[in-house]
Amino acid sequence: MKNILNLMAIALMIVVSSCDTEYLDPNSTLEPDVVNNVDNLVKLINGIQQRWSTDRAGIIYNYTHISGLNTDELRLLNPGNLGENEILLGSDDVNGGNEVLINMWTNAMLTRKEATTVIDAADDVSESASASGSLKAYGLFYRAMAHGTLIQFFESIPLEVIENAPFKDRATVLQSAIADLNEAKGYIDAGLDATVTSDVFSSVDLENSVNAMLARFNLMAGNYDAAITAANAVDLSVKSTWVYDASIPNPLAFWFGSQNVTQAKDLTFGLPSELLPDENDARIPFYITAEDLEAETPNYQVVGFWSDNLDEIPVYLPGEILLIKAEAYARNNELANAVTELNAVLTKTETTDIYGLGANLPAYTGPVAQDDILDEIYKNRRVELYLTGLSLEDNRRFQRPGPADANAERNRNYYPYPNAERDNNTNTPANPAL
């Protein structure tokens, strides 16, 4: 992280905590005070990346905890953390005043707003057309990330940066995110300008991240052929990560290390008894350490990408890309191809995965039937993609038992709209029952 003071001055930073809650209007027509040149727009892009990836109020912390507490990936150590405790309880215990929801929603909306500022202002930069296209590519990527992430937790969201913006349904939001990513891909294919890329935080590999999100969001939208095409375009030998330093630590590692908020619940990854991971699965010790197993309450601790404040967090995992292809093939009833991609995950080792994340398991030997293969893919998504914020989306998409069902595997389907939006937008819909 560099030039932090400048970043914070350019970006519209928000701090929302349990002690000092401030509701901001993320759809205000006020614009960041930027001059339309490459330097200032790059600083705004870097500020967007910082907003996304850092701090307890940031997006990574909050979507990880919302999905993790909802689907039994995490346990709460201290119920005095009221926002997290409400998410853990689920059902009617969560309302629009929940600080975790407010933090994620408001920062995602501000990310979208700042990204739109970059996209609009890029047309007026004086340096070059290629610089303009490169700036737009970054802005489009982050806007798509904001929309595609929020729609995993809410039934609908606004897409326009206007007062009283209308809410759009899931299909429309995903279509918008995919369109932004395809537009960004066009600018990337035309060549990124060094005057932009030389000063943007370089840990996020834009080209591969755009393709990875195209694969992710097309899968969510049911566009299986497009998901496979995008996944095939991702170079699995290239890392794309959020990076940290001593002054701006990994927010998950920092709070797991505090031993005062959350920790790993157990070794089940939130899976039911019929889908538990193989006890020899090497991904279990990669992600979770287990101490005092003979005790009444064993001590499970998160490790993986969150054991040290300097750990990098992947933007996406190679295993996700392989599992996207496996699922898309399975849902297209191309079962042989689905098993091939599934086996690439099962047999992956710590030496063949760029992050050292391998299952070290034998190939799939179960029935070559769609439902059985999808069950195996779901199980592997829950283990491979632990604490990536995708568990709630996956649980719904694979039609696992919901909060109104027996043996529920999630405590809510979607969340109430935060007061930060309802207090500023008369078009905010009624909250979902569950």
Side-chain angles (χ1 to χ4, degrees):
M1 295 293 178
K2 56 185 178 180
N3 212 6
I4 296 301
L5 293 178
N6 283 338
L7 299 183
M8 295 178 70
I10 290 292
L12 296 179
M13 301 306 288
I14 176 177
V15 176
V16 182
S17 70
S18 59
C19 298
D20 184 12
T21 301
E22 180 183 3
Y23 296 160
L24 300 184
D25 178 7
N27 290 314
S28 164
T29 55
L30 294 174
E31 293 293 341
D33 183 15
V34 297
V35 177
N36 292 347
N37 63 51
V38 169
D39 287 345
N40 281 336
L41 291 174
V42 164
K43 289 175 183 176
L44 185 51
I45 292 167
N46 286 338
I48 292 168
Q49 181 170 328
Q50 184 182 351
R51 177 192 298 288
W52 188 275
S53 61
T54 66
D55 195 67
R56 188 170 172 180
I59 300 170
I60 280 182
Y61 174 92
N62 287 290
Y63 72 59
T64 297
H65 276 76
I66 294 168
S67 59
L69 290 166
N70 183 321
T71 63
D72 283 342
E73 291 179 316
L74 293 172
R75 60 190 163 103
L76 186 65
L77 300 176
N78 180 0
N81 295 286
L82 296 180
E84 286 85 355
N85 190 45
E86 291 167 359
I87 298 295
L88 175 66
L89 295 172
S91 191
D92 293 336
D93 286 283
V94 187
N95 58 49
N98 180 276
E99 68 187 73
V100 180
L101 293 179
I102 290 170
N103 286 349
M104 183 178 70
W105 177 280
T106 305
N107 275 294
M109 286 297 180
L110 287 168
T111 293
R112 182 272 303 274
K113 179 178 176 179
E114 293 164 359
T116 301
T117 295
V118 171
I119 295 164
D120 293 344
D123 284 326
D124 297 323
V125 298
S126 57
E127 282 81 353
S128 69
S130 63
S132 172
S134 299
L135 291 166
K136 285 186 176 183
Y138 282 100
L140 290 160
F141 169 68
Y142 282 108
R143 186 166 72 181
M145 287 279 282
H147 290 155
T149 298
L150 278 181
I151 204 61
Q152 296 174 52
F153 300 92
F154 300 95
E155 289 182 314
S156 61
I157 66 169
L159 290 176
E160 298 175 272
V161 187
I162 59 173
E163 293 183 5
N164 292 318
F167 278 62
K168 302 297 182 180
D169 64 18
R170 177 182 174 85
T172 303
V173 172
L174 287 173
Q175 182 180 10
S176 175
I178 291 165
D180 277 352
L181 291 168
N182 278 321
E183 185 178 351
K185 187 173 172 62
Y187 291 121
I188 294 167
D189 290 344
L192 294 175
D193 194 296
T195 60
V196 174
T197 59
S198 61
D199 289 323
V200 171
F201 293 152
S202 60
S203 64
V204 175
D205 184 277
L206 185 63
E207 180 176 6
N208 281 296
S209 296
V210 164
N211 285 322
M213 294 307 116
L214 274 170
R216 179 185 293 180
F217 298 150
N218 272 302
L219 180 71
M220 289 166 52
N223 304 326
Y224 302 129
D225 291 339
I228 292 166
T229 298
N232 282 331
V234 179
D235 185 344
L236 300 186
S237 68
V238 175
K239 288 185 177 183
S240 184
T241 62
W242 314 106
V243 298
Y244 304 95
D245 61 20
S247 62
I248 301 182
N250 178 319
L252 295 172
F254 182 87
W255 287 105
F256 289 144
S258 75
Q259 301 297 329
N260 188 48
V261 187
T262 55
Q263 264 299 346
K265 183 174 183 180
D266 51 33
L267 301 180
T268 70
F269 294 82
L271 288 164
S273 58
E274 68 272 17
L275 293 178
L276 290 178
D278 188 302
E279 62 181 11
N280 296 315
D281 193 326
R283 293 170 297 187
I284 298 174
F286 179 92
Y287 279 126
I288 304 169
T289 63
E291 302 172 358
D292 304 322
L293 288 179
E294 302 302 320
E296 182 178 348
T297 306
N299 183 24
Y300 300 104
Q301 297 282 311
V302 171
V303 281
F305 303 107
W306 317 283
S307 61
D308 187 273
N309 287 344
L310 300 184
D311 283 347
E312 300 179 18
I313 298 177
V315 177
Y316 61 89
L317 287 167
E320 179 189 358
I321 306 307
L322 297 171
L323 289 166
I324 285 171
K325 290 195 285 184
E327 183 181 343
Y329 280 128
R331 295 193 186 279
N332 276 343
N333 214 30
E334 299 177 56
L335 301 184
N337 286 336
V339 171
T340 296
E341 299 299 338
L342 173 60
N343 284 339
V345 175
L346 289 170
T347 62
K348 184 160 54 73
T349 70
E350 62 272 12
T351 60
T352 58
D353 182 277
I354 55 172
Y355 296 105
L357 175 58
N360 291 341
L361 292 173
Y364 177 71
T365 58
V368 184
Q370 188 179 50
D371 287 346
D372 294 281
I373 292 169
L374 284 171
D375 281 347
E376 187 70 16
I377 290 167
Y378 175 68
K379 177 173 76 173
N380 277 275
R381 283 188 65 91
R382 292 299 303 271
V383 179
E384 182 88 8
L385 308 182
Y386 180 60
L387 293 184
T388 57
L390 295 169
S391 59
L392 176 57
E393 172 71 25
D394 288 352
N395 194 278
R396 281 197 316 265
R397 190 174 68 256
F398 282 84
Q399 298 182 329
R400 303 301 303 174
D405 301 324
N407 302 312
E409 296 177 22
R410 60 183 182 273
N411 65 39
R412 282 199 70 96
N413 296 317
Y414 291 98
Y415 283 96
Y417 298 102
N419 293 341
E421 186 69 26
R422 191 173 298 282
D423 291 347
N424 291 289
N425 187 344
T426 60
N427 287 321
T428 305
N431 290 327
L434 287 174

